[in-house]
Each structure stands twice: as C-alpha cells, then as structure tokens.
Amino acid sequence: MCEDVKQTPKIDAESQSVSDNTTDTDSSMVEFYQLVQELLLITLALIGISFGCVWIFYSANIALNYLMGACAGLLYLRMLVKDVEQLGSEKTQLSKGRFALLIGLSILASRLEQLEILPIFLGFLTYKITVMLYVIRTSLPSFD
C-alpha cells in the first residue's frame, strides 16, 4: 500500500512534465508561425515597393525580371519554412532541393533573351533583406 502511494507522485510528475513539454512545443510553434507570417508580409511589402521603384527608374522589362526573381525568392522562403517546420518531427536535416529553384531560374534567364540575370538574381535576394531587417530589429536594444 505504501508503494502505491509513492508511485503516484512519480506518475503525476512525469505526466506534468510531458504536458509542460507539449505546452512549450505548442507555444514555440505559435511563435514560429507568427515569425513566418511577419517575414512573408514584410517580404511582400518590400517586393511591392522595390518593383514600383524599379519600374519608375528603369524599364518595365527590368521590373518584370525583378518581379520574377522576387517571386522565386518568396517561393524559396516558403520552401525553407516548410523544411524548418518538419525539421524536428520528420527530418533530421534540411533538404537541398530548394537550390534547384535558383539554378533553374538562372539557366532560364541565361537562355532567353528577354530575361536578364542581374535583376532576377537581385529580386531573388529580396527575402534576405527581410531577414536582415528582422535580425537588426531584434538585436538592437529596445528603448521602451
């Protein structure tokens, strides 16, 4: 009878730690999805602003090339998010299939005369500006 009483707190402590771990995982995933949504929205805003500026200061063809690269960069970011999302539960490392997107886009731009490599590549890198802005914003001390 004493043994039953001693075992009950152990089971409760284990179940409590399992539920705490589940709660921590859920809150981490909620935070992850909020970060992803923020990054995607900022990237879309940067793409829109940059596309407008490129169209004004350069030609429509260059602006469309930039937009093509920026859309590929957005797709790349989305693929990266999916890989990171599956990292703990299903995968042990990130896949390298995302790089095929950039390679394929570069090959396409080099083969077709209407496409220019530099605006496409710079458009592709637009998502990196978003990531850099996020890192700078979170690393600087807040002045609240």
Side-chain angles (χ1 to χ4, degrees), residues 7 16 73 113 128:
Q7 289 179 355
Q16 181 65 29
E113 289 183 25
K128 290 198 178 266

Side-chain angles (χ1 to χ4, degrees), residues 79-115:
M79 291 167 70
L80 182 62
V81 165
K82 287 291 184 188
D83 270 356
V84 170
E85 189 176 42
Q86 298 170 352
L87 193 57
S89 59
E90 300 170 18
K91 294 183 177 181
T92 58
Q93 66 180 17
L94 296 175
S95 66
K96 293 173 180 50
R98 298 178 316 276
F99 296 115
L101 181 65
L102 178 60
I103 293 168
L105 192 59
S106 299
I107 291 172
L108 183 67
S110 68
R111 298 284 182 210
L112 297 175
E113 289 183 25
Q114 298 91 351
L115 299 180

Side-chain angles (χ1 to χ4, degrees), residues 14 21 25 29 39 43 47 59 70 77 87 96 110 131-132:
E14 288 174 6
N21 199 8
T25 304
M29 290 307 290
L39 290 177
T43 303
I47 289 171
S59 67
L77 180 62
L87 193 57
K96 293 173 180 50
S110 68
V131 173
M132 287 189 298

Side-chain angles (χ1 to χ4, degrees), residues 27-67:
S27 67
S28 295
M29 290 307 290
V30 168
E31 187 178 333
F32 172 74
Y33 290 127
Q34 288 173 346
L35 172 64
V36 167
Q37 184 177 12
E38 180 183 352
L39 290 177
L40 289 174
L41 288 175
I42 292 172
T43 303
L44 282 172
L46 278 174
I47 289 171
I49 292 167
S50 300
F51 175 71
C53 290
V54 170
W55 193 318
I56 290 170
F57 293 111
Y58 295 98
S59 67
N61 185 36
I62 297 210
L64 291 174
N65 281 303
Y66 170 82
L67 186 61

